[in-house]
Amino acid sequence: MLVLRLLNVVAPAYFLCISLVTFVLQIFVFIPSMFRDPSTTPLFSPALLHGALFLFLSANALGNYVLVIQSSPEDLGKDLNLGEGAEVADWLDGNRSPGSALPSTHFCRLCARITQRHDHHCFFTGNCIGSRNMRNFIMFCLYTSLACLDSLVAGMAYISATLSMSFADPLAFLTLLPQSISQFFSGALLSSEMFVILMLYLWLGIGLACAGFCCHQMLLILRGQTRYQVRKGMVVRARPWRENLQEVFGKKWLLGLLIPVQNVESSYRRQKEK
């Protein structure tokens, strides 16, 4: 448990450091050095267009990241009726649903909070993912994946021009790292160039992981399930996939795709109002 709590603190700091390094490389290294075309007007220059695209992706990724943290399950836990004589320890297995609580409500040991429709605990946000922040979490994964892909393409273009190499051969990227390590220790490669090459593989790994996780999460949403329910073998009521999507993304789903906005109210709150 101590290791998990430490990871819960280190992982968000690691993500913020990677985001800061990516921003600095894109704005101050890749864009100024790779997009110089005096024949184009400043308004439609490749540097400005690429910079605007990267800022859009980064703003959505970081904006949804903040909303995932702000949409804390703690507020839901205060509203739940645990029943007379019930203790928080009764929720540790997530099997008890006394009072007005809904099924699949779960108590997280790391957060010490109760989460409605608990999906999993995200160490990179230091928060549980549930009904209140599921949409923001999916948008965070989506835009993080796109931002990493954008940084990967820009970084490959920078390395291609700096080292005068071509990535036309698909195997060129796979052999880039071992060749770069040997050149770095032989003194033929600068430390700054080696750092950018290492970041290329880091962006590739983070981008693929976020994309795969986002696709997996969308499949679960279409089925009306959460990862916690699948792990515990809980049976869920079959509903049309459109209803499952609307429960997570709401009617104004298009707005959430363009800008970071607060998640829709949970079904628990709507039932309380009735």
Side-chain angles (χ1 to χ4, degrees), residues 27-250:
I27 300 300
F28 297 103
V29 180
F30 297 159
I31 295 178
S33 62
M34 296 307 302
F35 298 98
R36 295 175 180 174
D37 189 0
S39 63
T40 59
T41 60
L43 183 60
F44 299 101
S45 64
L48 183 60
L49 294 178
H50 179 83
L53 175 62
F54 174 72
L55 290 177
F56 171 76
L57 297 177
S58 300
N60 274 277
L62 293 177
N64 283 286
Y65 179 82
V66 173
L67 289 178
V68 169
I69 299 176
Q70 287 184 345
S71 302
S72 171
E74 185 177 10
D75 297 333
L76 268 179
K78 294 178 180 179
D79 295 335
L80 289 175
N81 178 20
L82 298 180
E84 184 176 355
E87 300 292 339
V88 174
D90 297 331
W91 293 77
L92 291 178
D93 295 330
N95 296 322
R96 180 170 179 174
S97 302
S100 60
L102 297 178
S104 74
T105 305
H106 176 68
F107 177 82
C108 178
R109 294 175 182 267
L110 294 175
C111 294
R113 297 167 179 168
I114 299 173
T115 311
Q116 181 201 349
R117 287 192 60 83
H118 176 82
D119 189 86
H120 69 285
H121 181 89
C122 176
F123 288 98
F124 284 98
T125 60
N127 203 1
C128 277
I129 307 301
S131 60
R132 295 192 64 202
N133 53 13
M134 175 60 72
R135 182 180 69 173
N136 296 124
F137 178 74
I138 293 178
M139 290 296 101
F140 159 68
C141 291
L142 175 63
Y143 279 104
T144 299
S145 177
L146 294 177
C148 287
L149 176 61
D150 179 83
S151 301
L152 176 64
V153 173
M156 290 175 63
Y158 173 79
I159 291 297
S160 177
T162 304
L163 303 181
S164 300
M165 62 179 302
S166 174
F167 288 98
D169 185 4
L171 297 179
F173 184 79
L174 299 178
T175 59
L176 176 63
L177 183 59
Q179 292 178 359
S180 301
I181 293 177
S182 62
Q183 293 177 4
F184 174 73
F185 285 105
S186 63
L189 194 66
L190 299 177
S191 58
S192 59
E193 296 171 345
M194 186 64 198
F195 178 76
V196 172
I197 292 175
L198 292 176
M199 289 299 299
L200 293 181
Y201 288 91
L202 184 61
W203 288 325
L204 177 63
I206 296 177
L208 291 179
C210 289
F213 196 89
C214 184
C215 293
H216 174 69
Q217 205 69 45
M218 286 299 301
L219 289 176
L220 291 178
I221 291 176
L222 291 174
R223 295 165 54 184
Q225 290 182 307
T226 63
R227 292 180 60 189
Y228 177 77
Q229 291 173 336
V230 173
R231 187 171 68 252
K232 291 293 184 178
M234 298 179 179
V235 180
V236 296
R237 181 172 60 89
R239 295 188 307 175
W241 62 270
R242 293 181 182 273
E243 293 185 11
N244 296 328
L245 281 179
Q246 184 173 333
E247 183 180 12
V248 174
F249 293 94

